[in-house]
Amino acid sequence: MTDRTSVVGSPRRPQTKSPQRHDIQALRALAVSLVVVNHLWPSSLSGGYVGVDVFFVISGFLITKHLLGELRRSDRIRLGQFYARRAKRLLPAAFVVAVTSLLAAAIYLPSNRLLAIGWETIAATLYVENWLLAAQSVDYSAQNNQASTVQHYWSLSVEEQFYLLWPLLLLGAYLLAGRLRSPRAVLLTALAVAGAASFVFSVVLTSTSPSEAYFVTPTRVWEFAVGGLIAAASSLRSGNHRHPVRLRLAGFAQWSGLGLILASALVFDEATPFPGYLAAVPVLGTALVIASGPESPAWSPNTLLGVSPVQTLGNISYSLYLWHWPIIILLPSIIDRTLGTPDLLGALLLSIVLAGLTKKYVEDPGRSRLLPGASPRRVLGMTAVATATVLVICSGSVAAATLARAEEVQRLDALSGGECFGAKSLSSSGCEDPFGPPQVANIGDGEAPWFDDEECSPHPDPILAGAKKVLTLCDFSDGQDDSRSVWLIGDSHAEQWKAAVLPLARENNWTLHVSVVGGCPYVGAKRSAFMGAATGEKVQTKCLDWSATVSDRVLADPPDLVFLSSFSVGEEIDDGTGRSQAEQYRTAFSDRVGPWAAQGTEVYVIRDTPLTLDRSNPDCLARNEASPLDCANAKTEALPADPAADAARALEQPNIHVLDLSDRFCPDDTCYAAIGGLHVYFDQDHAARSYIRSLIPDFAQRFAATTS
């Protein structure tokens, strides 16, 4: 029988502790820095999310190296001991941060967010957060939901699932290798096949369902496999690692690898199809640094990255990753303002301090002093107890939030049938103060603008925005051949009006097409900035391609009606002329919508809703329950000119209309956060679904007035 020790190419020897690789610690420091900076200043480092991919390659290398070493020494993998070590190394800090963040959220965040945070904390505790987010990501809402305090645990979930399955793959390959004459080839082939299959799956799923592809484990396995292949191949290397030629090659590889990682972090953005084939850039960069080994010439970047501050950052990288995100989520509510640069710097400093303390008092003791000498069975048993304890805490939070939401839904149902419901209170003399405290809390996702009725389904001939399908067909025709064809087009500020347009479509038996893309103007000019932040070329291309395709569909098969709305105040366009936004919008609107109207389509531009100015939102109302006027804004500030609506008026074409309901948000010189017992807004800039529902009579009346 072939000697299985030849799988890794060296004889058995006693276990010795490998020296710490400072280059890998530096990679950890770089990876966590990219992620943290991307989360704090996304426009400054738009591709910083590639730091997660760096972590995945490192994990694949280290775990594979460890497992192969155990196989070489003992011809087996002690799975219980392996899983026990992982639990002691990772779970204490993860549980501490998750529970602390959940309790802090219960204190500082509005109650409507606690249900989602509770469920996600359960998913994070069970290390399936990535699958939960993948399930949510197939909906438009995933791009707009307020993030939970444990959303970043998705990557930890991927790693834990890898740790669960990878030892079994290696053990199976090792056992098979013992029966064959080329055991090294078997091992390398097994890793390569697993990696190649995952890579192909990643490329395909990224092109068909990019939001889901980002989170699911199979699209990331190949990144771990690359690290594993390096570990397997490195055991076969021999020769003088200090040879001048080898050192020069190592230095070149290290600079090249670092350059690839940094280039992807700087060039990639939210529109980059990822992970897909482009993830190979940071993965290859990481592989070059690791594969070149710890030895390096004096001019290598490893010399610079070996300094104490970088190594310290690498040492605390795990805890820093855990802490930085909940601090970003919680801090605005704690200090009661939007985070400015000083606040962001403070968040960074606080994250580093907490990471250092967690490393010293939780991570290290958990690994070295928790249950010393205990058997793997006992460690895993205590892990189950700790996990159950965290789940009980989370379940209590979920149960309380569920009960509170059910009560609020009952209050909402009771209120919705009355004449003082939301905007109706502005027209009824029998209502108490329309601008008093809300009678119902914002019930979270139930108030989100992104939803569909049961008659709505993906269109069989989709329109794409990047790789995402963005055309929905809502058939309310009830089989009538003369059903009117209607489109709703725009960004998320158009989608918020579905709460009014869908009931109108049902009442009139329309066939409704909905195509909305967050942050994309429907006019044919590139978006140069969004909320003051410059827009990358990929996003510009995505938006232009989408809007052009929608226009082609409308021109090819003219509908009876088109409803348009957009966040044109926040989406700056650039046609290259340098003119004012008002002038550019007049030209772009005329070029885009004019041909639609010329074919006889009735176009209705819905004037955009007022700005919240970080005041008229649920967070402010939660902090000022008894004085909602403290969350109101002056009309002159909250209701600037809407360039798209003004452009529609300027055309003065008889079949281009403007539906302006701004007086239902700002009935006098003030724009309110609470009207008729309701929250006016769902989040920082979208109207709440219930408030839009309360506008249905006004919306229908003003629409009818233009058709008479």
Side-chain angles (χ1 to χ4, degrees):
M1 180 180 291
T2 303
D3 183 0
R4 285 177 289 178
T5 60
S6 62
V7 170
V8 288
S10 61
R12 291 192 184 97
R13 59 179 181 271
Q15 183 174 1
T16 58
K17 186 176 181 180
S18 300
Q20 185 181 60
R21 284 190 54 170
H22 296 293
D23 56 331
I24 291 181
Q25 285 300 90
L27 276 176
R28 284 184 170 131
L30 174 62
V32 77
S33 297
L34 294 177
V35 172
V36 171
V37 172
N38 172 255
H39 287 160
L40 288 170
W41 296 280
S43 60
S44 300
L45 195 64
S46 58
Y49 52 79
V50 302
V52 170
D53 305 272
V54 176
F55 276 127
F56 288 165
V57 180
I58 294 172
S59 294
F61 172 76
L62 294 177
I63 292 302
T64 304
K65 181 180 179 182
H66 168 78
L67 293 172
L68 290 180
E70 185 172 355
L71 283 170
R72 185 176 66 245
R73 291 187 298 271
S74 61
D75 281 343
R76 63 175 179 158
I77 294 176
R78 292 183 290 272
L79 294 174
Q81 190 174 88
F82 172 79
Y83 296 135
R85 280 197 301 266
R86 292 295 92 200
K88 291 174 66 175
R89 165 69 177 86
L90 300 172
L91 297 190
F95 286 174
V96 166
V97 174
V99 172
T100 302
S101 301
L102 177 63
L103 297 177
I107 296 172
Y108 293 107
L109 295 184
S111 59
N112 66 291
R113 297 180 61 180
L114 296 183
L115 183 59
I117 291 176
W119 276 117
E120 287 199 35
T121 306
I122 289 175
T125 301
L126 296 174
Y127 285 97
V128 293
E129 171 73 355
N130 63 317
W131 292 101
L132 177 61
L133 293 179
Q136 294 174 344
S137 70
V138 298
D139 298 324
Y140 180 79
S141 59
Q143 302 179 23
N144 299 278
N145 275 344
Q146 294 173 304
S148 78
T149 52
V150 292
Q151 182 170 293
H152 61 316
Y153 275 56
W154 76 266
S155 63
L156 306 181
S157 299
V158 172
E159 287 213 27
E160 286 300 315
Q161 292 158 33
F162 163 75
Y163 293 148
L164 184 65
L165 299 176
W166 198 248
L168 302 178
L169 173 66
L170 290 180
L171 184 59
Y174 184 76
L175 294 175
L176 178 62
R179 299 178 179 273
L180 301 175
R181 304 182 67 178
S182 302
R184 293 177 182 174
V186 170
L187 177 63
L188 293 175
T189 299
L191 298 182
V193 168
S198 169
F199 180 76
V200 171
F201 180 77
S202 178
V203 172
V204 172
L205 192 62
T206 299
S207 66
T208 58
S209 186
S211 297
E212 183 182 5
Y214 190 84
F215 296 111
V216 298
T217 305
T219 62
R220 304 285 185 160
V221 168
W222 69 273
E223 302 180 20
F224 296 99
V226 168
L229 282 168
I230 297 171
S234 64
S235 66
L236 307 177
R237 292 189 307 179
S238 61
N240 180 12
H241 294 276
R242 297 295 301 175
H243 190 279
V245 174
R246 179 169 285 188
L247 283 179
R248 284 195 291 271
L249 289 175
F252 176 77
Q254 288 150 11
W255 274 115
S256 300
L258 190 63
L260 288 173
I261 295 171
L262 292 176
S264 58
L266 291 169
V267 174
F268 293 176
D269 57 25
E270 71 275 11
T272 301
F274 206 87
Y277 67 92
L278 287 175
V281 179
V283 168
L284 176 60
T286 308
L288 285 172
V289 175
I290 296 175
S292 61
E295 303 294 344
S296 57
W299 46 268
S300 164
N302 287 349
T303 302
L304 299 174
L305 297 176
V307 298
S308 179
V310 175
Q311 294 297 302
T312 299
L313 187 59
N315 288 335
I316 66 170
S317 58
Y318 177 57
S319 289
L320 179 56
Y321 182 83
L322 290 174
W323 277 116
H324 83 282
W325 183 253
I327 289 174
I328 292 173
I329 298 300
L330 293 165
L331 193 57
S333 293
I334 293 174
I335 64 177
D336 195 16
R337 63 173 178 268
T338 301
L339 301 183
T341 299
D343 303 316
L344 293 172
L345 291 173
L348 176 60
L349 178 60
L350 179 59
S351 300
I352 293 173
V353 170
L354 288 175
L357 293 173
T358 304
K359 168 71 172 170
K360 182 176 181 179
Y361 295 109
V362 180
E363 269 196 75
D364 290 344
R367 183 173 59 251
S368 60
R369 297 197 294 275
L370 181 64
L371 301 175
S375 67
R377 179 176 297 180
R378 185 184 176 202
V379 172
L380 294 176
M382 293 303 295
T383 297
V385 171
T387 302
T389 301
V390 175
L391 292 176
V392 168
I393 296 172
C394 297
S395 299
S397 173
V398 167
T402 301
L403 180 60
R405 175 170 293 194
E407 293 175 349
E408 294 303 327
V409 169
Q410 290 180 349
R411 293 192 185 98
L412 180 61
D413 290 342
L415 181 64
S416 62
E419 295 182 355
C420 298
F421 175 61
K424 294 181 181 180
S425 65
L426 300 175
S427 304
S428 177
S429 59
C431 302
E432 296 183 5
D433 182 9
F435 313 118
Q439 297 181 38
V440 294
N442 186 314
I443 56 174
D445 293 346
E447 293 292 353
W450 22 93
F451 70 100
D452 278 316
D453 285 355
E454 60 182 11
E455 293 89 347
C456 301
S457 60
H459 196 284
D461 185 14
I463 291 175
L464 299 179
K468 188 177 179 65
K469 298 177 181 179
V470 290
L471 180 60
T472 299
L473 177 64
C474 301
D475 187 358
F476 299 103
S477 65
D478 198 24
Q480 299 179 15
D481 294 334
D482 59 347
S483 172
R484 303 185 80 185
S485 174
V486 182
W487 282 69
L488 173 63
I489 300 169
D491 55 18
S492 61
H493 282 222
E495 188 162 21
Q496 68 186 352
W497 288 103
K498 285 202 302 187
V501 173
L502 287 174
L504 197 63
R506 178 178 288 105
E507 180 181 348
N508 291 280
N509 300 116
W510 292 342
T511 300
L512 178 66
H513 300 74
V514 180
S515 189
V516 291
V517 181
C520 281
Y522 55 77
V523 294
K526 68 180 181 180
R527 192 192 88 181
S528 58
F530 183 76
M531 298 294 285
T535 298
E537 184 177 347
K538 296 185 184 69
V539 174
Q540 293 175 353
T541 300
K542 178 189 76 172
C543 291
L544 287 171
D545 289 348
W546 163 74
S547 63
T549 303
V550 169
S551 183
D552 290 343
R553 292 283 185 95
V554 171
L555 291 172
D557 186 12
D560 298 289
L561 308 171
V562 170
F563 291 99
L564 295 169
S565 191
S566 71
F567 188 30
S568 55
V569 172
E571 296 164 355
E572 184 176 334
I573 64 172
D574 182 12
D575 62 5
T577 64
R579 297 177 298 164
S580 68
Q581 284 294 290
E583 293 173 312
Q584 290 189 52
Y585 257 101
R586 279 197 293 271
T587 300
F589 184 89
S590 177
D591 292 344
R592 171 67 80 218
V593 181
W596 303 354
Q599 293 190 150
T601 297
E602 296 285 334
V603 178
Y604 295 84
V605 178
I606 307 172
R607 197 236 188 270
D608 198 19
T609 50
L611 303 174
T612 66
L613 302 177
D614 292 327
R615 286 171 54 84
S616 300
N617 53 50
D619 289 5
C620 181
L621 287 173
R623 295 189 299 266
N624 299 275
E625 293 182 357
S627 53
L629 292 181
D630 290 343
C631 302
N633 290 301
K635 182 177 180 179
T636 53
E637 298 177 6
L639 199 67
D642 180 348
D646 289 349
R649 293 188 181 98
L651 282 182
E652 296 183 344
Q653 291 193 24
N655 55 340
I656 296 181
H657 318 276
V658 175
L659 294 177
D660 187 350
L661 289 98
S662 55
D663 61 314
R664 303 288 87 180
F665 294 83
C666 315
D668 46 43
D669 293 334
T670 302
C671 297
Y672 296 92
I675 297 177
L678 298 179
H679 285 245
V680 173
Y681 295 95
F682 163 68
D683 57 16
Q684 291 287 4
D685 65 311
H686 298 95
R689 193 190 312 176
S690 292
Y691 193 74
I692 295 293
R693 283 175 48 218
S694 77
L695 286 169
I696 290 175
D698 294 298
F699 190 95
Q701 181 183 27
R702 298 182 192 192
F703 168 75
T706 65
T707 61
S708 58

